[in-house]
Amino acid sequence: MCALAGIVCAILAWRVPAHLRAVDARVLRAAANRGWAVREAGLQLVRQNHPGAAEMLRAAARQENLPGSDELDHLLAAHAAAPPLTDTFIRTGAREQELAHLAASPAPAVPELLQTRALKSTKLFAPSASAAGQAFDAAVAIAGYLIDNNALTGSLRDALQAAAASANHGGDPEPLERFLVDFLSLGQRLNPDQAAVFVQNIQDAGTFSVLAEEARNAGAQLPTLFAAVQLSGQPRAVASYVQDFPPTGLRDIGASLRDGSGGLNELLRRHVRITGAVTDGPVNALDNFSLRQPALAVALKCLLYLLAGFLVAETFYYAGPEPAARERPLQVRGVHYAREVLFALGFLLVALLVSEPFLAQESHKMEMRLRLPTVGGPVAAGATPVKQLKTFMNQSTLLTLLLFFVLQALLYVACLVKLAEIKRQNALARVKIRLLENEEHLFDAGLYLGFCGTIVSLILVSLGIIEQSLMAAYSSTSFGIIFVSIFKIFQLRPAKRQLLLLAEEDNVNAELEVTRQLATIP
């Protein structure tokens, strides 16, 4: 019965779609009914007269094999694709016409931006007055076009205006040029309608810079990035996600688009990677519970694993042989429960290490390399140091330290349980001392485990199988020395002292009893 119940608990724990550092695709499926799909978003854009933006959503639907792209194909069949902004404004006639139109713009940021064309010393662009100044003018025309059409608003527009004003008054022009590089690169990839819809919800310069960099690197996944910004309405959350998970961020976002804005927003809210297969199956009670109560779902999963380990330990206890007659006085009631709890904790630790995805993987800020897009192609112009600093204590090292610490702590508690068991046994003090001496290998097991952990870690590091600091490898031995020293000095030594005194008292009492009996002999 214990074995069967343990197996059932382990299966139930495995089926709970809750994870410490990931979100299950089944949970995103449960969140699908809380938002609207790519198809509805594309239809809404068509009704709002944004066919270019709807084309990007249609491309995202095709790329991710989402339903509803056929209806968008029918609605967009009559709309001709507009050229990208940069392709339009890089031509002299269109650029000069746009700059002349912007000169009469009522937006306060536009005159400040146009005044930067008089700058003589620039770092990333050739000055506007030079023979190669068409790239600078095209970037100014794109930024001014978006401001004039009320697509660029809020603090992002204010930041651009402040950068332009600083450059016009003798300040460093590089912040302004970095803005213009981002506008120019977006213009290479988006037409006017798409660019206006893409930037309309971006409210800060940091988010704009990250999304522009991601658009430069997205390649064929640019429609996925566009759809994520449009459906979620949270450009900052999208930028943070793709920045923290550069290898897989856009792929996970694309997978969440299958579940519409509900699944996408749930992924952005949890800010973790996706695990599990993306399916169209039904949603069950565990999926909904994990969606509404993620912390309780994780607690339930750990509790089920803990119970499974306890029941497995109970199985071994009841399946074991009966103690011999001479050992029955040494049996202490209730001690086996403590051992089973320790086994359950170890089982939980192993289950989490085996079943939890991305447990040791840390998030990496993407390295942003500034590139100046021109008509001939991208030209390297510098680099912005928006990269996560490498810390001495990364997450992999911390996880290794925690693993070694927990293993040594469990072994330390096992030694305490054994010591308490021997102290409570119905035996003479000298027998208990011999029993303690018999358990010396158990009491030194922390040292053996520590040495083995260090050796295995160093071998894996030398072979390149894992990457971790030497501190994490040597911590195994260090924890072993610390826990064994604490146990032997503060627990075992006082217990042996008491037993030695009791044994001496037993010897004295035995001698007195023998003397008394001899005195009674006539």
Side-chain angles (χ1 to χ4, degrees), residues 312-368:
V312 169
E314 280 282 279
T315 301
F316 287 116
Y317 173 76
Y318 288 117
E322 289 290 331
R326 66 172 62 92
E327 291 187 359
R328 287 175 185 172
L330 301 180
Q331 300 299 311
V332 179
R333 294 182 60 185
V335 174
H336 70 94
Y337 291 116
R339 295 198 188 97
E340 287 151 9
V341 169
L342 289 176
F343 181 86
L345 291 173
F347 182 85
L348 171 63
L349 177 63
V350 173
L352 291 179
L353 289 176
V354 172
S355 64
E356 282 298 311
F358 322 124
L359 194 60
Q361 183 172 351
E362 56 186 318
S363 62
H364 301 279
K365 301 288 185 181
M366 71 176 180
E367 182 178 354
M368 296 180 60

Coordinates of all heavy atoms in Angstrom, one line a residue, residues 312-368:
V312 N 7.9 5.9 0.1 CA 8.9 5.0 -0.4 C 9.8 4.5 0.7 O 10.1 3.3 0.8 CB 9.7 5.6 -1.5 CG1 10.9 4.8 -1.9 CG2 8.9 5.8 -2.8
A313 N 10.2 5.4 1.6 CA 11.0 5.0 2.8 C 10.2 4.1 3.7 O 10.7 3.1 4.2 CB 11.4 6.2 3.5
E314 N 8.9 4.3 3.9 CA 8.1 3.5 4.7 C 8.0 2.1 4.0 O 7.9 1.0 4.7 CB 6.6 4.0 4.8 CG 6.5 5.1 5.8 CD 6.4 4.5 7.2 OE1 5.3 4.1 7.6 OE2 7.5 4.5 7.9
T315 N 8.0 2.0 2.7 CA 7.9 0.8 2.0 C 9.2 -0.1 2.4 O 9.1 -1.3 2.7 CB 7.9 1.0 0.5 OG1 6.7 1.7 0.2 CG2 7.8 -0.3 -0.3
F316 N 10.4 0.6 2.3 CA 11.6 -0.2 2.6 C 11.6 -0.6 4.1 O 12.1 -1.7 4.5 CB 12.8 0.7 2.3 CG 13.1 0.8 0.9 CD1 13.0 2.1 0.3 CD2 13.4 -0.3 0.1 CE1 13.3 2.2 -1.1 CE2 13.7 -0.1 -1.2 CZ 13.6 1.1 -1.8
Y317 N 11.0 0.2 5.0 CA 11.0 -0.1 6.4 C 10.1 -1.4 6.7 O 10.6 -2.3 7.3 CB 10.4 1.1 7.2 CG 10.2 0.7 8.7 CD1 11.3 0.6 9.6 CD2 8.9 0.5 9.2 CE1 11.1 0.3 10.9 CE2 8.7 0.2 10.5 CZ 9.8 0.1 11.4 OH 9.6 -0.2 12.7
Y318 N 8.9 -1.4 6.1 CA 8.0 -2.5 6.3 C 8.5 -3.8 5.5 O 8.2 -4.9 5.9 CB 6.6 -2.2 5.9 CG 5.9 -1.2 6.9 CD1 5.5 0.0 6.4 CD2 5.7 -1.6 8.2 CE1 4.9 0.9 7.3 CE2 5.1 -0.7 9.1 CZ 4.7 0.5 8.6 OH 4.1 1.4 9.5
A319 N 9.2 -3.6 4.4 CA 9.7 -4.7 3.7 C 11.0 -5.3 4.2 O 11.4 -6.4 3.8 CB 10.0 -4.3 2.2
G320 N 11.6 -4.6 5.2 CA 12.9 -5.1 5.8 C 12.7 -6.3 6.7 O 11.5 -6.5 7.2
P321 N 13.7 -7.0 7.0 CA 13.6 -8.2 7.9 C 13.4 -7.8 9.4 O 13.7 -6.7 9.8 CB 15.0 -8.9 7.7 CG 15.9 -7.8 7.4 CD 15.1 -6.8 6.6
E322 N 12.8 -8.6 10.1 CA 12.6 -8.4 11.5 C 13.9 -8.4 12.3 O 14.8 -9.2 11.9 CB 11.6 -9.5 12.1 CG 10.2 -9.4 11.6 CD 9.5 -8.2 12.2 OE1 9.9 -7.7 13.3 OE2 8.6 -7.6 11.6
P323 N 14.1 -7.6 13.2 CA 15.4 -7.6 14.0 C 15.5 -8.9 14.8 O 14.6 -9.5 15.2 CB 15.2 -6.3 14.9 CG 13.8 -6.1 15.0 CD 13.2 -6.5 13.7
A324 N 16.8 -9.3 14.9 CA 17.1 -10.5 15.7 C 16.7 -10.3 17.2 O 16.6 -9.1 17.6 CB 18.6 -10.8 15.6
A325 N 16.6 -11.4 17.9 CA 16.2 -11.3 19.3 C 17.1 -10.5 20.1 O 16.7 -9.7 21.0 CB 16.1 -12.7 19.9
R326 N 18.5 -10.6 19.9 CA 19.4 -9.8 20.7 C 19.4 -8.3 20.4 O 19.9 -7.5 21.2 CB 20.8 -10.4 20.6 CG 21.4 -10.2 19.2 CD 22.8 -10.6 19.1 NE 23.0 -12.0 19.4 CZ 23.0 -13.0 18.6 NH1 22.9 -12.8 17.3 NH2 23.2 -14.3 18.9
E327 N 18.8 -8.0 19.2 CA 18.8 -6.5 18.9 C 17.5 -5.9 19.2 O 17.4 -4.6 19.1 CB 19.0 -6.4 17.4 CG 20.5 -6.8 16.9 CD 20.7 -6.4 15.5 OE1 19.7 -6.0 14.8 OE2 21.8 -6.7 15.0
R328 N 16.5 -6.6 19.7 CA 15.2 -6.0 20.0 C 15.3 -5.0 21.1 O 14.6 -4.0 21.1 CB 14.2 -7.1 20.3 CG 13.8 -7.9 19.0 CD 12.9 -9.0 19.4 NE 12.5 -9.8 18.2 CZ 11.9 -11.0 18.2 NH1 11.5 -11.5 19.3 NH2 11.7 -11.6 17.0
P329 N 16.1 -5.2 22.2 CA 16.2 -4.2 23.2 C 16.8 -2.9 22.7 O 16.6 -1.8 23.3 CB 17.2 -4.8 24.2 CG 17.0 -6.3 24.0 CD 16.8 -6.5 22.6
L330 N 17.5 -3.0 21.6 CA 18.1 -1.7 21.0 C 17.2 -1.0 20.1 O 17.5 0.1 19.7 CB 19.4 -2.1 20.2 CG 20.5 -2.8 21.0 CD1 21.7 -3.1 20.0 CD2 21.0 -2.0 22.2
Q331 N 16.0 -1.5 19.8 CA 15.0 -0.8 19.0 C 14.4 0.3 19.8 O 13.9 0.1 20.9 CB 14.0 -1.8 18.5 CG 14.5 -2.9 17.7 CD 15.2 -2.5 16.4 OE1 14.7 -1.6 15.7 NE2 16.5 -3.0 16.2
V332 N 14.3 1.5 19.2 CA 13.7 2.7 19.8 C 12.5 3.1 18.9 O 12.6 3.3 17.7 CB 14.7 3.8 19.9 CG1 14.0 5.1 20.5 CG2 15.9 3.4 20.7
R333 N 11.4 3.2 19.6 CA 10.1 3.5 18.9 C 10.2 4.9 18.3 O 10.6 5.9 19.0 CB 8.9 3.4 19.8 CG 8.7 1.9 20.3 CD 7.4 1.9 21.2 NE 6.3 2.4 20.4 CZ 5.1 2.6 21.0 NH1 4.9 2.3 22.3 NH2 4.1 3.0 20.2
G334 N 9.7 5.1 17.1 CA 9.6 6.4 16.4 C 10.8 6.9 15.7 O 10.7 7.9 15.0
V335 N 12.0 6.3 15.9 CA 13.2 6.8 15.3 C 13.1 6.6 13.8 O 13.6 7.4 13.0 CB 14.4 6.1 15.9 CG1 15.7 6.5 15.1 CG2 14.6 6.4 17.4
H336 N 12.5 5.5 13.3 CA 12.4 5.3 11.9 C 11.7 6.4 11.1 O 11.9 6.6 10.0 CB 11.8 3.9 11.6 CG 10.4 3.8 11.9 ND1 9.4 4.0 10.9 CD2 9.7 3.5 13.0 CE1 8.2 3.8 11.4 NE2 8.4 3.5 12.7
Y337 N 10.7 7.0 11.8 CA 10.0 8.1 11.2 C 11.0 9.3 10.9 O 10.9 10.0 9.8 CB 8.9 8.6 12.0 CG 7.7 7.6 12.2 CD1 7.4 7.1 13.4 CD2 7.0 7.3 11.1 CE1 6.4 6.1 13.5 CE2 6.0 6.4 11.1 CZ 5.7 5.8 12.4 OH 4.6 4.9 12.5
A338 N 11.9 9.6 11.8 CA 12.9 10.6 11.5 C 13.7 10.3 10.3 O 14.0 11.1 9.4 CB 13.7 10.8 12.7
R339 N 14.1 9.0 10.2 CA 14.9 8.6 9.0 C 14.1 8.7 7.7 O 14.6 9.2 6.7 CB 15.4 7.2 9.2 CG 16.4 6.9 10.3 CD 17.1 5.6 10.1 NE 17.8 5.2 11.3 CZ 17.4 4.4 12.3 NH1 16.2 3.9 12.2 NH2 18.2 4.1 13.3
E340 N 12.9 8.4 7.8 CA 12.0 8.5 6.6 C 11.8 9.9 6.2 O 11.7 10.3 5.0 CB 10.7 7.8 6.9 CG 10.9 6.3 6.9 CD 9.9 5.6 7.8 OE1 8.9 6.2 8.2 OE2 10.0 4.4 8.0
V341 N 11.7 10.8 7.2 CA 11.6 12.3 6.8 C 12.8 12.7 6.1 O 12.8 13.5 5.2 CB 11.2 13.1 8.1 CG1 11.4 14.6 7.8 CG2 9.8 12.8 8.6
L342 N 14.0 12.3 6.6 CA 15.2 12.7 6.0 C 15.3 12.1 4.6 O 15.8 12.8 3.6 CB 16.4 12.2 6.8 CG 16.7 12.9 8.2 CD1 17.8 12.2 8.9 CD2 17.0 14.4 7.9
F343 N 14.9 10.9 4.4 CA 14.9 10.3 3.1 C 13.9 11.1 2.2 O 14.2 11.3 1.0 CB 14.5 8.9 3.1 CG 14.4 8.2 1.8 CD1 15.6 7.6 1.3 CD2 13.2 8.1 1.1 CE1 15.5 7.0 0.0 CE2 13.2 7.5 -0.2 CZ 14.4 6.9 -0.7
A344 N 12.8 11.5 2.7 CA 11.8 12.3 1.9 C 12.4 13.6 1.5 O 12.2 14.1 0.3 CB 10.5 12.5 2.7
L345 N 13.1 14.3 2.4 CA 13.8 15.5 2.0 C 14.8 15.3 0.9 O 14.9 16.1 -0.1 CB 14.4 16.2 3.2 CG 13.4 16.7 4.3 CD1 14.2 17.1 5.5 CD2 12.6 17.8 3.8
G346 N 15.6 14.3 1.0 CA 16.6 14.0 0.0 C 15.9 13.6 -1.3 O 16.3 14.0 -2.4
F347 N 14.8 12.9 -1.3 CA 14.0 12.6 -2.5 C 13.5 13.8 -3.1 O 13.5 14.0 -4.4 CB 12.9 11.6 -2.1 CG 12.0 11.2 -3.3 CD1 12.4 10.1 -4.0 CD2 10.9 11.8 -3.6 CE1 11.7 9.6 -5.1 CE2 10.1 11.4 -4.7 CZ 10.5 10.3 -5.4
L348 N 13.0 14.8 -2.3 CA 12.5 16.0 -2.9 C 13.6 16.8 -3.6 O 13.4 17.3 -4.7 CB 11.9 16.9 -1.7 CG 11.5 18.3 -2.1 CD1 10.4 18.3 -3.1 CD2 11.1 19.1 -0.8
L349 N 14.8 16.8 -3.0 CA 15.9 17.5 -3.6 C 16.3 16.9 -4.9 O 16.4 17.6 -5.9 CB 17.1 17.5 -2.6 CG 18.4 18.2 -3.1 CD1 18.2 19.6 -3.4 CD2 19.5 17.9 -2.1
V350 N 16.4 15.6 -5.0 CA 16.7 14.9 -6.2 C 15.6 15.1 -7.3 O 15.9 15.4 -8.5 CB 17.0 13.4 -6.0 CG1 17.1 12.7 -7.3 CG2 18.2 13.2 -5.1
A351 N 14.4 15.0 -6.8 CA 13.2 15.2 -7.8 C 13.3 16.6 -8.4 O 13.0 16.8 -9.6 CB 11.9 14.9 -7.1
L352 N 13.5 17.6 -7.6 CA 13.6 19.0 -8.1 C 14.7 19.2 -9.1 O 14.6 19.8 -10.1 CB 13.6 20.0 -7.0 CG 12.4 20.1 -6.1 CD1 12.6 21.1 -5.0 CD2 11.2 20.5 -6.9
L353 N 15.9 18.6 -8.7 CA 17.1 18.8 -9.6 C 16.8 18.1 -10.9 O 17.3 18.5 -12.0 CB 18.3 18.2 -8.9 CG 18.9 19.0 -7.7 CD1 20.0 18.2 -7.1 CD2 19.3 20.3 -8.2
V354 N 16.1 16.9 -10.9 CA 15.9 16.2 -12.1 C 14.8 16.8 -13.0 O 14.8 16.9 -14.2 CB 15.6 14.7 -11.8 CG1 15.2 13.9 -13.0 CG2 16.8 14.1 -11.2
S355 N 13.7 17.2 -12.3 CA 12.5 17.6 -13.0 C 12.4 19.1 -13.3 O 11.6 19.5 -14.3 CB 11.2 17.2 -12.3 OG 11.2 17.9 -11.0
E356 N 13.1 19.9 -12.6 CA 12.9 21.4 -12.8 C 13.8 21.9 -14.0 O 15.0 21.7 -13.9 CB 13.3 22.1 -11.5 CG 12.2 22.1 -10.4 CD 10.9 22.8 -10.9 OE1 11.0 23.9 -11.4 OE2 9.9 22.2 -10.7
P357 N 13.2 22.4 -15.0 CA 14.0 23.0 -16.1 C 14.6 24.3 -15.8 O 14.0 25.1 -15.0 CB 12.9 23.1 -17.2 CG 11.6 23.3 -16.5 CD 11.7 22.6 -15.2
F358 N 15.7 24.6 -16.4 CA 16.4 25.9 -16.3 C 16.7 26.3 -14.8 O 16.8 27.4 -14.5 CB 15.6 27.0 -16.9 CG 14.8 26.6 -18.2 CD1 13.5 26.8 -18.3 CD2 15.5 26.0 -19.2 CE1 12.8 26.4 -19.4 CE2 14.8 25.7 -20.4 CZ 13.5 25.9 -20.5
L359 N 16.9 25.3 -13.9 CA 17.1 25.6 -12.5 C 18.4 26.3 -12.3 O 18.5 27.2 -11.5 CB 17.0 24.3 -11.7 CG 16.9 24.5 -10.2 CD1 15.6 25.3 -9.8 CD2 16.8 23.1 -9.5
A360 N 19.5 25.8 -13.0 CA 20.8 26.4 -12.9 C 21.1 27.4 -13.9 O 22.2 27.9 -13.9 CB 21.8 25.2 -12.9
Q361 N 20.2 27.7 -14.8 CA 20.5 28.7 -15.8 C 20.2 30.1 -15.4 O 19.1 30.3 -14.9 CB 19.7 28.3 -17.1 CG 20.0 29.2 -18.3 CD 19.3 28.7 -19.5 OE1 18.7 27.7 -19.6 NE2 19.4 29.5 -20.6
E362 N 21.1 30.9 -15.6 CA 20.9 32.3 -15.2 C 20.5 33.2 -16.4 O 20.9 32.8 -17.5 CB 22.2 32.9 -14.6 CG 23.4 32.8 -15.4 CD 24.6 33.3 -14.7 OE1 24.6 34.3 -14.0 OE2 25.7 32.6 -14.8
S363 N 19.8 34.2 -16.2 CA 19.5 35.1 -17.3 C 20.6 36.0 -17.6 O 21.4 36.4 -16.8 CB 18.3 36.0 -16.9 OG 18.6 36.8 -15.8
H364 N 20.8 36.3 -18.9 CA 21.9 37.1 -19.4 C 21.3 38.3 -20.1 O 20.5 38.1 -21.0 CB 22.8 36.3 -20.4 CG 23.4 35.1 -19.7 ND1 24.5 35.1 -18.9 CD2 23.0 33.8 -19.8 CE1 24.8 33.9 -18.5 NE2 23.9 33.0 -19.0
K365 N 21.8 39.4 -19.7 CA 21.4 40.6 -20.5 C 22.1 40.6 -21.9 O 23.3 40.2 -22.0 CB 21.9 41.9 -19.8 CG 21.3 42.1 -18.4 CD 19.9 42.4 -18.4 CE 19.4 42.7 -17.0 NZ 18.0 43.0 -17.0
M366 N 21.3 40.9 -22.9 CA 21.9 40.8 -24.2 C 22.9 41.9 -24.4 O 22.8 43.0 -23.9 CB 20.8 40.9 -25.3 CG 20.2 42.2 -25.4 SD 19.0 42.2 -26.8 CE 18.5 43.9 -26.7
E367 N 24.0 41.6 -25.1 CA 25.0 42.6 -25.4 C 24.5 43.4 -26.6 O 24.2 42.9 -27.7 CB 26.3 41.9 -25.8 CG 27.4 42.8 -26.0 CD 28.7 42.1 -26.3 OE1 28.7 40.9 -26.2 OE2 29.7 42.8 -26.7
M368 N 24.4 44.7 -26.4 CA 23.8 45.6 -27.4 C 25.0 46.2 -28.2 O 25.8 46.9 -27.6 CB 23.0 46.7 -26.8 CG 21.8 46.2 -26.1 SD 20.8 47.5 -25.4 CE 20.4 48.4 -26.8

